[in-house]
Amino acid sequence: MSKPQSHKARKRFGQNFLHDHGVIRRIVACIGPKKGQRIVEIGPGKGALTEGIISLTERMDVVELDRDLIPILKVNLFRFPDLTVHEADAMKFDFASLATEQNIRVVGNLPYNISTPLIFHLLSQASVIEDMHFMLQKEVVDRLAARPGDSLYGRLSVMAQYYCAVESLFIVGPESFDPAPKVESAIVRMTPHKTLPFPVADIKGLEDTVRIGFHQRRKTLRNNYKGVLDNDDFEALGIDPSLRPERLDVEEFVRIANFIHNKEA
């Protein structure tokens, strides 16, 4: 079979192709793919990580937006007839549609320019996802995994940890990619909770509560929730209104969201 033309990474798609075989083997080991599992890869590129996974699972779904990459991918992985390629935008893709027999596992070297909204899109479908392993900009991984009191702890941390246990696994240097990005990358594992530890009455209400809380992160809770919560409300909640938002954990944000929901009901 003739090999298609080489593909130049496209900036508009945020493409940085992973080519370090040592890193690829380490990522596959962290994922631990097994035969029969339904693994979905976002942005497979030329199939470097895909090959390592499908060699163990024998079947796989991939979601690729760049149509020019698809023939390259199919040639590179022609030995695997049970590779299903979905030409689609992952930001709009219905991942739940693939979870017909079992929950799916999601992996990907995510484009830096859309990584945060794409993670929120996936979190909205967390009930059908077994786990997620992503290569992301290291700062995004640090935000996802940040704990209360950390300087990077914010909206992304709270919402990700509401749905998932988050683990930062290891750092990947720029030299592992072509072209080399200007920043370090890292691998993160996100495992959706089987049962939410702190269920919220209204998820939109929690999103709004967290957004308001971190809108001006250097201000106190009293200032940020002015007109929404008063001193009596904070006393009823058992939360100090003089704290800054990064001091609150997920359970406390859920408590505030549920309190506001009941107050407005």
Side-chain angles (χ1 to χ4, degrees):
M1 190 177 288
S2 63
K3 196 166 181 70
Q5 296 178 358
S6 62
H7 181 88
K8 187 172 169 56
R10 290 176 172 167
K11 196 170 182 180
R12 69 189 175 101
F13 289 139
Q15 291 172 343
N16 297 89
F17 298 120
L18 182 64
H19 63 74
D20 186 321
H21 292 290
V23 170
I24 291 166
R25 284 193 294 272
R26 194 173 175 191
I27 295 170
V28 173
C30 286
I31 296 167
K34 294 180 174 60
K35 189 174 177 179
Q37 293 178 333
R38 192 77 185 260
I39 298 186
V40 185
E41 183 181 9
I42 297 169
K46 299 175 186 178
L49 181 59
T50 322
E51 185 170 13
I53 296 170
I54 200 170
S55 298
L56 299 171
T57 61
E58 296 183 3
R59 71 165 184 171
M60 198 168 166
D61 292 84
V62 297
V63 180
E64 178 57 63
L65 178 60
D66 186 348
R67 66 180 60 184
D68 292 341
L69 271 174
I70 291 172
I72 298 173
L73 185 67
K74 287 181 174 177
V75 167
N76 288 349
L77 300 176
F78 75 94
R79 296 179 293 115
F80 303 101
D82 290 330
L83 173 70
T84 303
V85 180
H86 305 269
E87 185 187 326
D89 182 350
M91 288 284 292
K92 299 171 184 171
F93 190 74
D94 180 11
F95 289 88
S97 68
L98 301 179
T100 51
E101 305 153 23
Q102 59 183 306
N103 279 3
I104 60 174
R105 305 184 70 197
V106 184
V107 303
N109 172 17
L110 301 190
Y112 297 154
N113 54 345
I114 62 159
S115 59
T116 299
L118 183 50
I119 286 169
F120 275 106
H121 176 59
L122 287 159
L123 291 175
S124 72
Q125 301 176 66
S127 62
V128 300
I129 297 174
E130 193 69 28
D131 58 18
M132 299 177 272
H133 290 80
F134 295 133
M135 173 97 70
L136 297 163
Q137 188 172 335
K138 180 180 178 292
E139 185 184 328
V140 176
V141 172
D142 290 345
R143 287 183 186 280
L144 285 164
R147 309 306 301 172
D150 293 349
S151 61
L152 290 175
Y153 182 75
R155 175 173 168 255
L156 184 60
S157 323
V158 175
M159 294 311 301
Q161 292 169 36
Y162 172 78
Y163 286 105
C164 304
V166 180
E167 303 167 77
S168 175
L169 299 181
F170 63 92
I171 295 169
V172 181
E175 68 283 354
S176 297
F177 300 90
D178 180 30
K182 293 183 172 65
V183 293
E184 283 189 314
S185 303
I187 304 296
V188 66
R189 175 186 292 135
M190 302 174 68
T191 308
H193 300 300
K194 299 291 185 191
T195 304
L196 291 171
F198 312 112
V200 73
D202 172 34
I203 189 64
K204 178 70 167 58
L206 178 62
E207 290 169 357
D208 290 344
T209 297
V210 175
R211 180 177 47 76
I212 293 166
F214 284 102
H215 180 60
Q216 297 185 79
R217 59 182 300 131
R218 297 196 63 78
K219 291 198 170 183
T220 65
L221 297 172
R222 181 185 286 111
N223 280 318
N224 284 345
Y225 290 106
K226 193 172 183 179
V228 180
L229 297 171
D230 58 28
N231 285 337
D232 290 341
D233 294 333
F234 280 111
E235 188 173 345
L237 283 160
I239 293 173
D240 182 352
S242 68
L243 293 175
R244 287 179 175 170
E246 68 267 20
R247 307 301 303 184
L248 300 191
D249 60 21
V250 174
E251 186 274 333
E252 287 168 313
F253 275 110
V254 168
R255 207 189 313 162
I256 291 172
N258 284 339
F259 185 90
I260 293 170
H261 176 79
N262 293 333
K263 191 177 175 182
E264 293 174 348

